[in-house]
């Protein structure tokens, strides 16, 4: 058939059957398209009907959530007031209206902040002794203001089994339903106040579902036309019962997006089918023309086949090398060949560079060696070192490639090699560097960048005046809890934008985490200038914020600290700003305070906390728990990470993140670290399988022999094999002296333990610095992994993991929260995983049952 193609006979004979086939099949294809269009219309009708049903179900969910939230909220708020020792003294032991109302302890703030229309206190004798109606003091009795069996609710609240509980029932006020929360007034957890035997006084909070409350429900939970119904309504309304006894219901008109969509799409689909029929005829005509052209191209393709085979044979000896493009020069360094891939990568046609010197195209990185000397080195060595080079592509962008070389007859006939483009790899490394200095959510500077900036200004010999503003958002947590983290993230981004708009180009805006921001201002001017800035920021934050159909009312408190050049450290300056911030919050929020020495009470509280930690280590208040870590490749349990918890006598259970920084700042970290190492090793020896145990260690310990001595002591005391112990160290260890660090690492490696870089991506270390030291693995921080699933950020995270594995590091991912993150990490062959998706940390008493039911998720 190839020979016949040379004179065109085969093509001519096959042309007519091909076009005949097209005429036969094309109408069938168009008929199929019309059938599919009809099916699409049917599916559309079904989908839109489903949308209406889903919209109704969603509104029912939101309505039920609103009612449940109202019940839960009034119960939680009343519990905070009724289980308060001061309320017990001033509203039960005696009725101190000055303390309650005038001093705003249980006064108008309950109405203005929480929206509760009434507050009552009922004595043990059943008499209303304190009333606040709509924020104003009143003499109205509770059983007068409310309609319903209030006496039965009071009896239930005074029952011994409900002493620490809050009773929430539905009563009425002026024919409007009202949620009434009733609770006995007790001292709560404060043992400093002695309770008097006998019946308790009761405190009542009342939330009336009047017109204003229903309007707020309609706006906040997307319930159009919300009202109270006593009987079932028409089909276009939905209802949720407020109480099963009264049969009253919250009713509204749910949205009908499917019905609205049908009105728009059905006419458009009809028009589209008409256009499709017209276009079909044009496509048929064009298809026949294209068939003729393709048949002519086939003849040309056969003619080039022989030439292509000769080209492939010419470079078969280097085609096995993975590369972006191939090059060849003569003994003088003049280009004699460039592969076709060259044009795709650089934008230049090979003909533009053939006959020109290679050194005019490529320039060695940093100019450390010339192209000519490197080629000579390749001729004299069996395996020349690859050379990093830079070049300017046709689009005027600088790109980087890695050049490899092989001599042709020892260089007498020239050289050939490959050029691998590594521009994207370098960009990924740059992104890692950027992520280590910037907050991934807002793009602002992070804690590392903040400390670099402060150190830069405070370490100057002739330091300039410096002001630090610590900013914390008011009422952010209720927004985050009620509307979800997605809206909370958008709020944080908007706040970051507002802060950047109100500062100078020389100022630094940083986010420390959560809703805490810091502004560093070199040469801030006078006190009046700072007052103007703080007032402007607070004014901006008090304006309503409109996000995703929600109108949010936030606020901001600011603490200000001034530096004294060459006299302060960054930590001390931030501490002062933090103390001033707490003073601003204590002053009523939405204001600012400048640090004064009198604010040092916060520091004294910190010292008390440090002393409590010392006592905790002596009184067995500390506990180790073990977080499972799984091997992705083997699909089995790999080991556990030891995590410290503190059973604080006042604050309850605290995680390591709450007190380990305090231990580090107060010099107790060595004692705490020794305790963790010894107990973790001893516990690991009791496990039925030879599983790994990992312990986090402080970067500071690498500057002395302390860490080596403690690890050696823990292994020797427990008898645990060294290879079963992994030390997790934060990347900040790379900021210590490299020689001292290397000595400590090699000494520990000689013992046989494994050492991983922990929370990579949160500091300023680069992957190159990690490779310079004998680390075994790398663990990525949960804040980095949180970006998986984000359209613009996930490729950067996955690139970081691929790079780490490509250089021989064992990759561990912590904080995995969902199946999507796990699936993406598994696709890049992440070695070990841990986090909430695989289970919480286990107490020592839970370990035995865990081993009897081994699992892999």
């Amino acid at each position: 058939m190839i020979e016949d193609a040379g004179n065109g006979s085969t093509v001519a004979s096959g042309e007519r059957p091909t076009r005949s086939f097209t005429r036969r099949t094309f109408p069938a294809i168009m008929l199929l398209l019309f059938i599919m269009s009809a099916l699409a219309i049917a599916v559309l009708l079904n989908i839109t009907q489903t949308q209406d049903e889903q919209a109704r179900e969603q509104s029912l969910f939101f309505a039920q959530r609103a009612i449940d939230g109202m019940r839960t909220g009034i119960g939680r708020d009343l519990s905070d007031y009724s289980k308060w020792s001061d309320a017990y003294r001033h509203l039960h032991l005696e009725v101190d209206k000055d303390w309650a109302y005038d001093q705003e302890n249980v006064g108008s703030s309950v109405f203005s902040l929480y929206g509760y229309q009434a507050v009552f206190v009922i004595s043990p004798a059943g008499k209303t002794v304190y009333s606040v109606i709509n924020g104003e003091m009143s003499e109205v009795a509770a059983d007068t203001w409310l309609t319903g069996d209030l006496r039965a609710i009071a009896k239930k609240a005074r029952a011994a089994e409900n002493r620490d509980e809050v009773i929430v029932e539905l009563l009425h006020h002026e024919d409007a339903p009202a949620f009434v929360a009733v609770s006995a007034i007790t001292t709560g957890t404060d043992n400093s106040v002695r309770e008097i035997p006998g019946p308790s006084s009761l405190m009542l909070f009342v939330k009336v579902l009047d017109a204003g409350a229903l309007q707020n429900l309609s706006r906040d939970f997307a319930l159009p036309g919300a009202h109270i119904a006593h009987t079932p309504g028409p089909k276009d309304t939905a209802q949720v019962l407020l109480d099963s006894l009264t049969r009253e219901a919250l009713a509204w008109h749910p949205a009908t997006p499917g019905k609205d969509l049908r009105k728009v799409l059905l006419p458009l689909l009809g028009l589209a089918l008409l256009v499709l029929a017209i276009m079909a005829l044009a496509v048929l005509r064009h298809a026949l023309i294209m068939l003729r052209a393709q048949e002519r191209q086939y003849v040309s393709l056969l003619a080039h086949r022989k030439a292509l085979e000769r080209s492939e044979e010419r470079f078969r000896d280097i085609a096995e090398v993975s590369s972006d493009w191939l090059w060849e020069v003569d003994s003088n360094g003049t280009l004699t060949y460039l592969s076709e891939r060259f044009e795709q990568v650089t934008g230049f046609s090979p003909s533009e560079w053939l006959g020109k010197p290679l050194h005019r195209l490529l320039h060695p990185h940093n100019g450390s060696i010339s192209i000519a000397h490197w080629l000579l080195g390749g001729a004299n060595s069996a395996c020349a070192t690859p050379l990093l080079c830079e070049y300017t592509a046709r689009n005027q962008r600088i790109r980087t490639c890695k050049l490899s070389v092989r001599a042709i007859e020892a260089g007498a006939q020239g050289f050939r090699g490959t050029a691998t483009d590594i521009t994207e790899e370098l960009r990924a490394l740059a992104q890692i560097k950027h992520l280590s200095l910037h907050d991934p959510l807002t793009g602002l500077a992070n804690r590392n960048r903040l400390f670099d900036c402060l150190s830069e200004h405070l370490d100057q010999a002739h330091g300039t005046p410096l002001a630090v503003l610590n900013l914390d958002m008011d009422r952010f947590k209720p927004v985050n809890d009620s509307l979800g983290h997605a809206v909370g993230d958008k709020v944080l981004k908007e706040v970051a934008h507002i802060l950047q708009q109100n500062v100078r180009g020389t100022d630094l805006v940083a986010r420390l985490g959560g809703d805490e921001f810091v502004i560093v201002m070199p040469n801030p001017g006078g006190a009046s200038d700072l007052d103007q800035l703080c007032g402007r920021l607070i004014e901006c934050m008090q304006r309503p914020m409109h996000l995703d159909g929600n109108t949010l009312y936030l606020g901001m408190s600011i603490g200000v600290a001034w530096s004294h050049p060459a006299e302060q450290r960054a930590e001390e300056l931030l501490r002062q700003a933090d103390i001033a911030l707490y003073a601003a919050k204590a002053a009523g929020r939405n204001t600012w305070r400048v640090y004064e020495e009198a604010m040092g009470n916060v520091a004294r509280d910190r010292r008390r906390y440090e002393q409590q930690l010392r006592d905790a280590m002596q009184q067995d208040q500390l506990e180790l728990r073990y977080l499972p870590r799984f091997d992705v490749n083997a699909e089995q349990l790999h080991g556990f990470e030891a995590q410290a918890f503190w059973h604080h006598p006042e604050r309850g259970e605290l995680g390591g993140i709450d007190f380990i920084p305090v231990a580090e700042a107060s010099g107790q970290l060595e004692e705490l670290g020794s305790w963790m190492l010894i107990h973790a090793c001893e516990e690991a020896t009791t496990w039925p399988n030879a599983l790994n145990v990992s312990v986090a260690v402080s970067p500071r310990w690498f500057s002395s022999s302390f860490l080596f001595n403690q690890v050696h002591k823990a292994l020797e005391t427990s008898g645990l094999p060294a290879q079963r112990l992994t030390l997790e160290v934060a990347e900040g260890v790379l900021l210590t002296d490299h020689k001292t660090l290397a000595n400590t690492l090699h000494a520990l490696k000689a013992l046989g333990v494994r050492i991983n870089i922990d929370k990579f991506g949160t500091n300023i270390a680069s992957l190159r610095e990690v490779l310079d030291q004998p680390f075994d693995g790398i663990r990525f921080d949960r804040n980095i992994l949180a970006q998986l699933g984000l359209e613009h950020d996930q490729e950067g995270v996955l690139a970081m993991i691929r790079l780490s594995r490509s250089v021989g590091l064992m990759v561990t991912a912590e904080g995995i929260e969902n199946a999507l993150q796990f699936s993406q990490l598994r696709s890049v062959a992440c070695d070990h995983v841990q986090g909430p998706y695989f289970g919480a940390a286990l107490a020592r008493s839970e370990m035995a049952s865990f081993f009897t039911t081994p699992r892999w998720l």
Side-chain angles (χ1 to χ4, degrees), residues 573-842:
L573 191 57
L574 288 174
R575 186 187 71 85
Q576 293 180 0
D578 191 60
I579 292 174
L581 173 63
Y582 280 102
K585 287 181 173 293
R589 303 177 183 269
N590 283 324
T591 186
W592 69 93
R593 290 292 183 269
V594 180
Y595 175 79
E596 299 174 355
E597 291 297 330
M599 298 176 180
N601 292 332
V602 175
R604 287 194 293 273
D605 292 340
R606 180 64 174 260
R607 287 194 294 272
R608 178 173 177 268
Y609 189 67
E610 294 171 359
Q611 183 58 46
Q612 289 177 331
L613 181 57
R614 291 188 181 92
D615 297 339
M617 286 187 276
Q618 303 297 326
Q619 299 173 8
D620 294 329
Q621 295 178 4
L622 299 181
E623 175 192 14
L624 280 184
R625 296 181 187 173
Y626 301 89
L627 183 67
R629 180 178 294 177
F630 292 90
D631 188 322
V632 177
N633 298 320
E635 295 191 354
Q636 64 183 11
L637 182 66
H638 173 73
F640 298 88
E641 178 187 3
Q643 297 181 345
F645 290 82
W646 179 9
H647 300 285
H648 195 281
E650 299 173 1
R651 302 185 183 185
E653 185 178 278
L654 301 177
I657 193 173
D658 296 316
F659 62 90
I660 288 180
V662 177
E664 185 171 8
S666 60
Q668 304 177 65
L669 191 58
E670 291 189 355
E671 182 180 356
L672 178 61
S674 301
W675 177 84
M676 289 183 63
L677 276 170
I678 292 176
H679 282 74
C681 291
E682 289 177 350
E683 177 64 20
T685 58
T686 66
W687 297 340
N689 301 321
L691 299 173
N692 180 274
V693 62
S694 64
V695 181
V697 296
S698 173
R700 296 185 177 181
W701 296 344
F702 284 80
S703 59
S704 65
S705 60
F706 169 80
L707 179 60
F708 175 83
N709 294 336
Q710 292 303 315
V711 171
H712 185 270
K713 177 182 177 181
L715 293 174
E716 187 176 46
T717 303
S718 63
L720 180 73
Q723 63 271 19
R724 291 180 58 191
L725 175 62
T726 299
L727 303 179
E728 310 276 0
V729 55
E731 67 179 31
V733 72
L734 298 172
L735 300 178
T736 60
D737 178 71
H738 285 195
K739 182 177 180 181
T740 304
L741 172 63
N743 292 338
T744 304
L745 289 174
H746 285 293
L748 291 170
K749 296 289 289 182
L751 288 177
V753 302
R754 298 177 59 84
I755 307 172
N756 291 346
I757 280 287
D758 190 19
K759 299 187 183 304
F760 187 78
T762 61
N763 212 298
I764 60 173
S766 67
L767 189 58
R768 185 176 300 277
E769 290 175 301
V770 175
L771 296 177
D772 290 338
Q773 301 295 343
F775 292 107
D776 299 289
I778 186 170
R779 182 164 69 167
F780 284 95
D781 181 63
R782 67 176 64 224
N783 293 327
I784 299 297
L785 296 180
Q787 299 175 71
L788 287 178
L790 299 179
E791 180 179 353
H792 301 294
D793 297 328
Q794 68 176 6
E795 289 302 321
V797 177
L798 298 178
M800 292 164 58
I801 295 175
R802 293 189 185 99
L803 283 173
S804 302
R805 297 196 77 254
S806 68
V807 294
L809 293 174
M810 189 74 68
V811 176
T812 301
E814 70 167 349
I816 298 177
E817 299 178 351
N818 51 58
L820 174 61
Q821 289 181 345
F822 174 57
S823 176
Q824 292 173 318
L825 292 170
R826 197 170 192 175
S827 68
V828 293
C830 185
D831 300 292
H832 299 149
V833 291
Q834 65 185 67
Y837 182 67
F838 302 99
L842 304 170

Side-chain angles (χ1 to χ4, degrees), residues 359-381:
H359 67 80
R360 289 180 57 185
L361 172 64
L362 302 175
H363 309 283
H365 184 66
N366 292 331
S368 57
I369 187 174
S370 67
I371 292 287
H373 283 85
W374 179 72
L375 290 175
L376 291 176
N380 299 326
S381 173

Side-chain angles (χ1 to χ4, degrees), residues 102 148 172 180 226 336 368 476 567 706 794 815:
D102 295 336
H172 291 80
V180 180
T336 58
S368 57
F476 173 75
E567 296 180 5
F706 169 80
Q794 68 176 6

Side-chain angles (χ1 to χ4, degrees), residues 397-399 422-432:
R397 293 186 178 180
I398 303 298
R399 301 190 67 85
I422 59 171
T423 306
E424 298 304 323
E425 178 182 346
L426 295 179
R427 286 177 182 172
L429 292 174
Q431 183 181 16
I432 294 174

